[in-house]
Amino acid sequence: EAGVTQFPSHSVIEKGQTVTLRCDPISGHDNLYWYRRVMGKEIKFLLHFVKESKQDESGMPNNRFLAERTGGTYSTLKVQPAELEDSGVYFCASSQEFGSGAEQYFGPGTRLTVT
Amino acid sequence: GQNIDQPTEMTATEGAIVQINCTYQTSGFNGLFWYQQHAGEAPTFLSYNVLDGLEEKGRFSSFLSRSKGYSYLLLKELQMKDSASYLCAVILRQAGTALIFGKGTTLSVSS
């Protein structure tokens, strides 16, 4: 069974540009999560999809971030325009079950550097 | 606010036992996870505790005390491959399935 995959693995962009990150969850997992780790800080929750619907987007930092999951399969996270403080590692995770005990399977992350 | 504390770094030798502590002060609690993350790789699930007590899984065990806001991960018979970052994460009742992470503990195992 393939794990959670993320593309690209690394991205370097200039301030003001747009970047789109992609996440492919484990097949059959309805729940998809985005997290972010800024250097020196802990991994922080961004949002949670159940199928194509946003269940919880309380962690999205501002309206420069747009997440979509059309069709309830893969998801994209767009940052437009990117700022220096957006640099970090963006993780995607998926789970089959919904609820507090559901194991979340993480992807390897996309390292975003904004210069 | 939510606060989860772990030691930043720990060192140990092959074959030894190490205990990584995690304390949390959160507004609500619905379970605690431990994840292992090797550099540049995905965090991988190790354990989930929601009731007080010890959960054992091979060389790894995890303990939870809800009254003390405290958990530990115990690694026995350490191997070089156990060198990694160990992440403590809490699920809050209000937040549904969002994980609240500590900063992680980097464990270095030497021969």
Side-chain angles (χ1 to χ4, degrees), chain A residues 48-82:
Chain A
H48 168 210
F49 284 99
V50 178
K51 296 185 180 178
E52 66 276 7
S53 300
K54 292 175 185 174
Q55 178 74 20
D56 179 358
E57 52 184 329
S58 60
M60 294 289 264
N62 52 60
N63 59 10
R64 296 184 294 103
F65 289 75
L66 175 64
E68 294 181 321
R69 194 184 181 194
T70 307
T73 53
Y74 71 91
S75 174
T76 57
L77 180 64
K78 180 189 287 188
V79 185
Q80 178 182 32

Side-chain angles (χ1 to χ4, degrees), chain B residues 2 8 15 19 21 26 29 33 58 62 74 76 78 92 104-105:
Chain B
Q2 323 297 345
T8 304
Q19 177 174 313
N21 296 323
T26 55
F29 177 85
F33 288 81
S62 57
L74 192 71
K76 302 176 186 176
L78 279 173
L92 309 181
T105 299

Side-chain angles (χ1 to χ4, degrees), chain A residues 33 35 37 40-43 45 48 56 91 98-104 106-108, chain B residues 30 33 35 37 40-43 45 48 87 91 95-99 101-104:
Chain A
Y33 315 83
Y35 292 86
R37 185 169 198 168
K41 303 276 191 175
E42 68 275 18
I43 296 173
F45 168 78
H48 168 210
D56 179 358
F91 292 101
F98 178 81
S100 58
E103 178 183 341
Q104 296 183 22
F106 281 78
Chain B
N30 215 19
F33 288 81
Y35 277 82
Q37 185 182 21
E41 297 182 8
F45 170 83
Y48 170 68
L87 307 170
I91 280 190
T97 54
L99 292 172
F101 281 89
K103 289 186 177 181

Side-chain angles (χ1 to χ4, degrees), chain B residues 33-52:
Chain B
F33 288 81
W34 283 96
Y35 277 82
Q36 179 191 60
Q37 185 182 21
H38 287 98
E41 297 182 8
T44 56
F45 170 83
L46 291 177
S47 67
Y48 170 68
N49 294 69
V50 64
L51 300 176
D52 285 359

Side-chain angles (χ1 to χ4, degrees), chain B residues 36-96:
Chain B
Q36 179 191 60
Q37 185 182 21
H38 287 98
E41 297 182 8
T44 56
F45 170 83
L46 291 177
S47 67
Y48 170 68
N49 294 69
V50 64
L51 300 176
D52 285 359
L54 187 69
E55 297 274 348
E56 297 186 78
K57 192 185 295 184
R59 294 189 299 114
F60 292 7
S61 303
S62 57
F63 172 83
L64 175 67
S65 169
R66 293 179 66 141
S67 61
K68 295 181 179 176
Y70 168 68
S71 172
Y72 68 72
L73 180 69
L74 192 71
L75 293 76
K76 302 176 186 176
E77 301 169 14
L78 279 173
Q79 302 174 11
M80 298 290 284
K81 67 178 182 179
D82 297 328
S83 294
S85 180
Y86 291 86
L87 307 170
C88 173
V90 167
I91 280 190
L92 309 181
R93 194 170 291 114
Q94 309 90 293

